[in-house]
Amino acid sequence: MISKPELFYFMRTNKLLCFFLFQIAFMALPLKSIGQVKLSFVPTIGGAEISLDKEYLLKELGKVTFTKLKFYFGLAGDTSSKSYFLIDLEKKSSCLVEFPLQKNSLNNEFAFWCGVDSFTNTSGVYMGALDPLNGMYWTWQSGYIGIKLEGQIRSMNGDSVSFEYHLGGYQNPFLVCYPVAFKNTKSSDLLVGLDLGRFISFAYQNFPKKVMTPGQDAYLLGKIFSESFYLLDNEK
Amino acid sequence: MKNRGLLLFIGVVCLMSFIVKDTYQIPKAWPEPIYPIGKNELTINKVYLGRILFYDPILSVNHTVSCASCHSQFNAFTHADHALSHGIYDSIGTRNSPTLMNLAWQPYFMWDGAINHLDMQALAPISHPKEMGESLNHVLQKLGASKRYKSLFYKAWKDSIPTTETLLKSLSSFMLTLVSNQSKYDSVQLGLVAFTDQEQRGYALFKKHCNSCHTEPLFTNYQFEANGIKVNAHLNDFGRYAITHHPKDSFKFKTPTLRNVEYSFPYMHDGRFESLNEVIQFYASSSSIGDKTKGRTLHLDAKEKVDLHVFLLTLTDKQFLFNRSYGYPMELNTKE
């Protein structure tokens, strides 16, 4: 350990260095968190939780099976790669995310993004949740697939049709990156439902069964998907 | 507090400019590069690793095709033997491979700008079923299992296990070194030599008719343009439209650079023209866009065509085409 006089001596002789060190400490200060938020995503049909590879009744359409659900969840107001999580229903643990509560979300308002913002989409290679290895990056053109939903619907008369929605796009006017906000959240322990029943009924009846490139369809479907999040009542 | 922040910011910027200066030479009178070199500082080891990767067919599923198969140095890193690209199992793609040079200045890649960052470029050929037919995951596994690459990755990145980031940034590092700025044209600009009369006349014609799209000093404006070539009915390639879905972008393609154009045949996105003569013939024909600014077809008499051709030859950079440090690395001849 160094003694106090030694420290002062060091500071006197290395004024510039100390100045920079203090600067860095100052800049880091406001980023300090004020608590942790725990958020679980729960995909639902008719309010009941669902899982992959099981059949569920969808009122007028028949029976639906989801084989894949993956999407990006980003912390609003922040474009650094650290603020992205990849939710993958195949990996249960990824459906629970924890992050520090940011200053601007103090007034019981909580906001995130669904999809990947265009800055991140155009800034080269990232690791972690955004690693192209996760299968959420198009290769024949640049850009993240913000939302991936695959499965099939078996109609009442027995024939089954598969659907594949790979929704993304970073160029205006078809950017797929939507804000999702909840007001007056009572705790920092949130259960967020994702009404897949609503989404798939709408998508299936109004859109092609395969949407895999950026454009108008992906843009609209992404919007509907992002509107399917809701706060589950059983807030702890 | 605010001032200090500013000071710090200035300090950091100064520091970064040192790094860029030391590792990456920006030719005189050229604009600032677009590639964020501060985020991928070029080092000898990274560039060398990138070069080995570029020439190694290990990146393709059956170890037959490397990046260099379609981007060969002697053709300014395009390929000469086919109009359309030629990948694994002799499959033929739908576009002519572009030249690779001065990539740090390029804002987007591919004829239609589908790729927005040099680091992401290699993902496209690696996973294209008609090009290298691989998957990123499997490529990383193959590299991670190779003694040669373990040591190369360690030297370059202090980590012997390759990741998406280190793989892609190594390839970029090599490609960023492919700078062509030593043509006769460049020497003339620097005042070291002079054009012949014929070249000078060609240059004047060029500035008048071509420079709005093939803009000096990089000889491209990096915009998507339609130069008037007819749509190839077999390929039905909509160009930029496929990316933006905007009708105004139909049949527009990224203006290619004309540096080393003498060697980058065949020409255009589908390789439809074999020779520069054909290209000039086309531009002088009624179907070409002619002179963009004046909205009329361009009239070139026989002598002017030759003058223009002769000027284009001054863009040839032999130092670039035969630079040993861009070539096939002998290390790949030895067993690991």
Side-chain angles (χ1 to χ4, degrees):
Chain A
M1 277 301 288
I2 47 170
S3 66
K4 244 188 194 166
E6 268 172 353
L7 185 69
F8 285 141
Y9 177 75
F10 175 81
M11 284 169 70
R12 253 202 321 275
T13 50
N14 294 284
K15 279 197 196 101
L16 201 65
L17 179 68
C18 290
F19 165 69
F20 279 124
L21 286 176
F22 278 123
Q23 270 301 308
I24 289 164
F26 261 127
M27 309 232 311
L29 209 64
L31 296 178
K32 221 190 97 185
S33 59
I34 315 164
Q36 289 286 117
V37 179
K38 264 195 211 161
L39 194 152
S40 310
F41 286 101
V42 183
T44 61
I45 287 183
E49 178 167 1
I50 61 162
S51 34
L52 292 181
D53 305 317
K54 288 199 181 123
E55 251 187 3
Y56 297 94
L57 194 64
L58 258 191
K59 268 182 243 145
E60 57 288 354
L61 292 180
K63 288 179 171 164
V64 65
T65 310
F66 295 101
T67 52
K68 185 167 276 178
L69 168 66
K70 284 164 104 173
F71 63 91
Y72 278 109
F73 157 81
L75 284 189
D78 192 347
T79 48
S80 86
S81 65
K82 277 193 220 83
S83 61
Y84 278 99
F85 298 88
L86 177 58
I87 314 300
D88 180 355
L89 197 52
E90 225 162 299
K91 300 182 191 125
K92 263 278 148 169
S93 61
S94 74
C95 298
L96 171 72
V97 293
E98 268 186 72
F99 48 88
L101 185 66
Q102 301 293 312
K103 221 179 173 180
N104 55 8
S105 52
L106 264 184
N107 45 357
N108 293 341
E109 180 167 323
F110 173 76
F112 64 87
W113 281 322
C114 180
V116 178
D117 68 289
S118 55
F119 175 83
T120 302
N121 259 304
T122 49
S123 300
V125 53
Y126 287 94
M127 296 300 287
L130 294 168
D131 189 334
L133 211 49
N134 296 327
M136 293 292 276
Y137 198 87
W138 275 299
T139 52
W140 47 275
Q141 71 168 66
S142 295
Y144 285 97
I145 298 167
I147 300 158
K148 215 181 222 188
L149 184 69
E150 297 174 7
Q152 55 270 344
I153 287 187
R154 201 150 57 87
S155 66
M156 296 308 180
N157 59 25
D159 35 283
S160 122
V161 179
S162 56
F163 56 86
E164 267 174 284
Y165 295 119
H166 295 185
L167 312 177
Y170 62 90
Q171 280 172 321
N172 273 323
F174 302 129
L175 170 67
V176 175
C177 179
Y178 291 96
V180 179
F182 301 119
K183 289 201 173 93
N184 305 319
T185 54
K186 290 184 208 77
S187 82
S188 53
D189 217 344
L190 304 173
L191 266 182
V192 173
L194 171 58
D195 191 345
L196 285 183
R198 170 184 180 272
F199 174 80
I200 198 64
S201 306
F202 190 84
Y204 203 77
Q205 285 166 318
N206 301 290
F207 286 86
K209 306 297 171 273
K210 284 189 171 43
V211 176
M212 327 232 328
T213 56
Q216 178 85 16
D217 285 347
Y219 172 77
L220 292 173
L221 282 171
K223 185 159 165 35
I224 293 157
F225 187 90
S226 70
E227 288 164 358
S228 307
F229 290 100
Y230 63 105
L231 217 49
L232 277 172
D233 285 341
N234 43 339
E235 240 183 275
K236 280 177 225 146
Chain B
M1 177 68 200
K2 235 183 182 170
N3 280 340
R4 285 200 206 169
L6 191 70
L7 262 178
L8 177 70
F9 177 74
I10 293 172
V12 170
V13 169
C14 289
L15 248 157
M16 270 161 52
S17 61
F18 274 125
I19 295 169
V20 175
K21 246 197 194 142
D22 279 343
T23 52
Y24 204 71
Q25 291 291 326
I26 298 160
K28 228 173 147 184
W30 282 25
E32 279 297 308
I34 304 245
Y35 186 89
I37 290 157
K39 279 205 205 161
N40 183 18
E41 212 187 305
L42 299 199
T43 63
I44 290 169
N45 287 330
K46 277 193 218 171
V47 171
Y48 185 64
L49 168 57
R51 179 171 157 210
I52 302 246
L53 287 165
F54 191 87
Y55 281 94
D56 194 342
I58 192 171
L59 296 188
S60 68
V61 67
N62 55 0
H63 294 244
T64 55
V65 173
S66 72
C67 306
S69 313
C70 300
H71 299 285
S72 98
Q73 179 177 7
F74 305 115
N75 304 100
F77 293 96
T78 169
H79 65 170
D81 51 340
H82 307 271
L84 300 172
S85 73
H86 185 180
I88 50 164
Y89 314 124
D90 285 336
S91 31
I92 302 295
T94 56
R95 286 189 184 151
N96 180 14
S97 69
T99 57
L100 305 183
M101 72 186 91
N102 306 337
L103 293 167
W105 284 267
Q106 201 162 304
Y108 15 60
F109 304 86
M110 304 300 214
W111 284 102
D112 54 11
I115 308 286
N116 65 30
H117 197 290
L118 184 59
D119 290 349
M120 308 320 269
Q121 170 69 44
L123 290 176
I126 288 175
S127 43
H128 196 297
K130 282 188 172 176
E131 295 186 350
M132 297 168 123
E134 255 294 2
S135 77
L136 175 61
N137 199 354
H138 192 229
V139 164
L140 290 175
Q141 271 172 26
K142 285 197 289 190
L143 296 174
S146 140
K147 244 184 165 160
R148 168 183 289 140
Y149 281 106
K150 273 188 198 157
S151 122
L152 287 169
F153 271 92
Y154 186 79
K155 279 189 202 147
W157 297 94
K158 295 279 167 290
D159 184 355
S160 59
I161 301 164
T163 65
T164 314
E165 181 178 9
T166 55
L167 169 67
L168 297 179
K169 285 191 170 170
S170 304
L171 277 164
S172 291
S173 299
F174 170 63
M175 289 192 283
L176 286 167
T177 65
L178 308 176
V179 174
S180 174
N181 69 331
Q182 315 245 352
S183 62
K184 176 163 187 192
Y185 163 85
D186 295 294
S187 304
V188 172
Q189 298 305 310
L190 292 174
L192 303 174
V193 291
F195 279 140
T196 63
D197 289 345
Q198 192 178 32
E199 287 164 351
Q200 190 66 49
R201 287 196 303 272
Y203 184 34
L205 287 169
F206 182 86
K207 286 215 277 202
K208 193 162 158 213
H209 300 299
C210 320
N211 203 46
S212 60
C213 298
H214 300 285
T215 314
E216 300 167 83
L218 291 150
F219 289 88
T220 159
N221 55 3
Y222 294 121
Q223 300 294 310
F224 300 93
E225 306 277 0
N227 67 348
I229 56 172
K230 290 217 173 63
V231 181
N232 181 325
H234 295 295
L235 300 171
N236 229 339
D237 192 335
F238 285 83
R240 183 66 178 160
Y241 175 81
I243 304 300
T244 61
H245 301 280
H246 202 298
K248 78 170 174 30
D249 289 332
S250 287
F251 306 116
K252 285 193 177 169
F253 293 88
K254 190 184 74 212
T255 309
T257 178
L258 297 186
R259 285 180 172 273
N260 296 302
V261 72
E262 179 183 4
Y263 285 84
S264 64
F265 53 88
Y267 302 107
M268 306 299 165
H269 70 272
D270 52 4
R272 67 179 65 190
F273 298 130
E274 284 295 328
S275 67
L276 276 180
N277 274 335
E278 281 176 70
V279 172
I280 292 171
Q281 212 62 45
F282 155 74
Y283 274 108
S285 73
S286 57
S287 61
S288 107
I289 40 87
D291 190 335
K292 192 178 161 196
T293 44
K294 299 184 191 85
R296 56 169 165 75
T297 48
L298 159 181
H299 291 289
L300 297 173
D301 62 32
K303 189 168 146 281
E304 287 172 322
K305 284 180 196 161
V306 179
D307 292 348
L308 188 57
H309 191 151
V310 167
F311 166 71
L312 291 177
L313 302 185
T314 70
L315 300 176
T316 297
D317 177 353
K318 289 261 161 71
Q319 312 248 35
F320 175 81
L321 296 165
F322 301 100
N323 186 334
R324 289 247 179 135
S325 60
Y326 302 154
Y328 182 83
M330 287 307 155
E331 178 169 346
L332 283 176
N333 285 344
T334 58
K335 271 217 140 74
E336 42 176 293

